[in-house]
């Protein structure tokens, strides 16, 4: 039985939601963060080998990869091995629907966990609904009534971070390990034009999708402060969407949690104040 879980990135979009669900279920939670300031917090930085001490007393870890680089396995493997040496058995990795095992970024970590970890699960969600309310699109919707992407008319099975957290909590505490990956989506695939129209109807004012060419999106992301190689990686993901790679839905959330995922319209109604 899992008794204590270290949640890396425990103050982020999914991490804080996973922590809340586990705490409500009576599971002891430790928060891995670069800036500890609370009773549950433990200092954790993927680039610091001494961060391995954060797993002491934990039997499971929720893994969120660093967001400022793309060589994820190179930086994560030493700390994952140190965690195993300290008795951690179960690892649940947040990855992406577009990243196959052995692919770039978290895909390399996915493949390594499948070969190396005693118990593991890899969550491969589609794009977060929270990108519209907490992430890169929130400010432009609020200030400009605009959403900028290079996705064209490509559709996405947007997923609520609450549903990702519910799936992660289930994987972290299940009596039987998943030892597999699961692709997570919402119940319908929507284009960014569709998403903009739904938000506009709920707000009662115009919101439109600005479809950029890939070079323009990369330049925009760099101006926002992202490293050039990371901006190019994100733009490439938009190109995959434009090509139809995310135009699907799955039953992953329901299979793991027993509950249907949240619709985009229900999500928009829940977070309307974010854009006012």
């Amino acid at each position: 039985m899992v008794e204590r879980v270290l949640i890396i990135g425990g103050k982020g979009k999914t991490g804080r939601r996973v922590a809340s669900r586990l705490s409500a279920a009576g599971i002891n939670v430790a928060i891995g963060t670069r800036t500890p300031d609370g009773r549950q917090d433990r200092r954790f930085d993927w680039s610091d080998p001494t961060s391995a001490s954060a797993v002491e007393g934990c039997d499971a870890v929720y893994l969120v990869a660093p967001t400022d680089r793309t060589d994820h396995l190179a930086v994560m493997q030493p700390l994952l091995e140190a965690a195993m040496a300290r008795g951690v058995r179960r690892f649940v990795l947040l990855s992406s629907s577009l990243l196959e095992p052995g692919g770039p970024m978290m895909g390399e970590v996915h493949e390594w966990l499948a070969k190396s970890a005693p118990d593991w699960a890899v969550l491969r969600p589609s794009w977060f609904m929270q990108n519209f309310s907490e992430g890169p699109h929130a400010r432009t919707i609020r200030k400009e009534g605009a959403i900028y992407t290079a996705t064209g008319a490509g559709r996405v099975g947007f997923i609520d971070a609450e549903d990702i957290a519910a799936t992660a909590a289930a994987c972290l505490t299940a009596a039987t390990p998943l030892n597999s990956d699961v692709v997570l989506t919402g119940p319908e695939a929507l284009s960014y034009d569709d998403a903009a129209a739904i938000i506009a109807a709920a707000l009662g004012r115009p919101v439109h999708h600005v479809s950029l060419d890939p070079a323009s999106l990369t330049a925009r992301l760099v101006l926002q402060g992202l490293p050039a190689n990371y901006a190019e990686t994100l733009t490439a993901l938009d190109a995959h969407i434009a090509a139809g790679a995310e135009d699907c839905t799955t039953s992953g959330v329901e299979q793991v949690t027993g509950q249907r995922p949240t619709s985009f319209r229900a999500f928009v109604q829940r977070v309307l104040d974010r854009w006012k």
Side-chain angles (χ1 to χ4, degrees):
M1 176 181 175
V2 171
E3 296 183 357
R4 186 185 299 274
V5 178
L6 175 67
I7 302 175
I8 296 172
K11 298 182 180 182
K13 282 190 184 70
T14 63
R16 69 178 187 269
R17 292 173 166 91
V18 175
S20 177
R21 287 175 179 273
L22 292 178
S23 295
I27 303 295
N28 290 319
V29 168
I31 303 298
T33 173
R34 291 180 180 178
T35 55
D37 59 5
R39 181 177 56 83
Q40 293 178 304
D41 294 357
R42 300 182 179 185
R43 187 180 181 282
F44 189 93
D45 186 334
W46 284 112
S47 64
D48 181 0
T50 67
S51 292
S53 62
V55 306
E56 292 294 345
C58 298
D59 24 42
V61 180
Y62 178 65
L63 303 170
V64 176
T67 58
D68 57 353
R69 57 197 302 159
T70 57
D71 57 339
H72 289 139
L73 183 60
V75 71
M76 292 173 71
Q77 182 176 341
L79 287 172
L80 294 174
E81 290 175 338
M84 290 181 198
R86 284 169 165 79
V88 177
R89 288 194 55 81
R90 182 168 295 183
F91 298 86
V92 175
L93 171 69
L94 179 66
S95 184
S96 165
S97 56
L98 285 176
L99 297 177
E100 297 287 345
M105 300 170 68
M106 289 85 77
E108 294 179 324
V109 184
H110 178 167
E111 182 178 61
W112 186 87
L113 285 173
K115 294 177 179 177
S116 308
D119 298 350
W120 64 279
V122 175
L123 309 183
R124 296 175 57 201
S126 186
W127 291 77
F128 293 14
M129 293 180 185
Q130 276 71 13
N131 286 345
F132 296 94
S133 62
E134 302 173 22
H137 305 309
R139 183 189 61 81
T140 58
I141 291 171
R142 188 167 56 249
K143 300 292 187 182
E144 304 174 41
I147 300 167
Y148 297 88
T149 81
T151 61
R155 300 196 303 168
V156 179
F158 296 110
I159 183 165
D160 189 347
E162 294 288 355
D163 292 326
I164 300 170
T167 308
C171 289
L172 286 162
T173 59
T176 303
L178 187 64
N179 287 349
S180 182
D181 67 319
V182 57
V183 176
L184 306 175
T185 74
E188 59 185 336
L190 301 168
S191 69
Y192 279 86
D193 288 331
D194 296 331
I198 291 169
I199 294 169
L203 281 174
R205 59 180 172 83
V207 177
H208 61 282
H209 170 221
V210 180
S211 185
L212 302 173
D213 63 84
S216 296
L217 179 62
T218 298
R220 181 180 177 84
L221 294 172
V222 170
L223 283 174
Q224 291 171 353
L226 292 184
N229 64 336
Y230 195 67
E232 290 166 359
T233 297
L234 293 180
T235 298
L237 295 178
D238 268 21
H240 283 295
I241 293 172
E246 288 274 9
D247 190 357
C248 68
T249 60
T250 73
S251 58
V253 171
E254 190 167 8
Q255 287 175 350
V256 177
T257 69
Q259 299 178 347
R260 283 188 54 76
T262 306
S263 72
F264 190 75
R265 286 170 177 80
F267 163 78
V268 166
Q269 290 299 323
R270 196 178 79 219
V271 301
L272 271 181
D273 285 348
R274 294 274 185 168
W275 301 308
K276 293 181 178 177

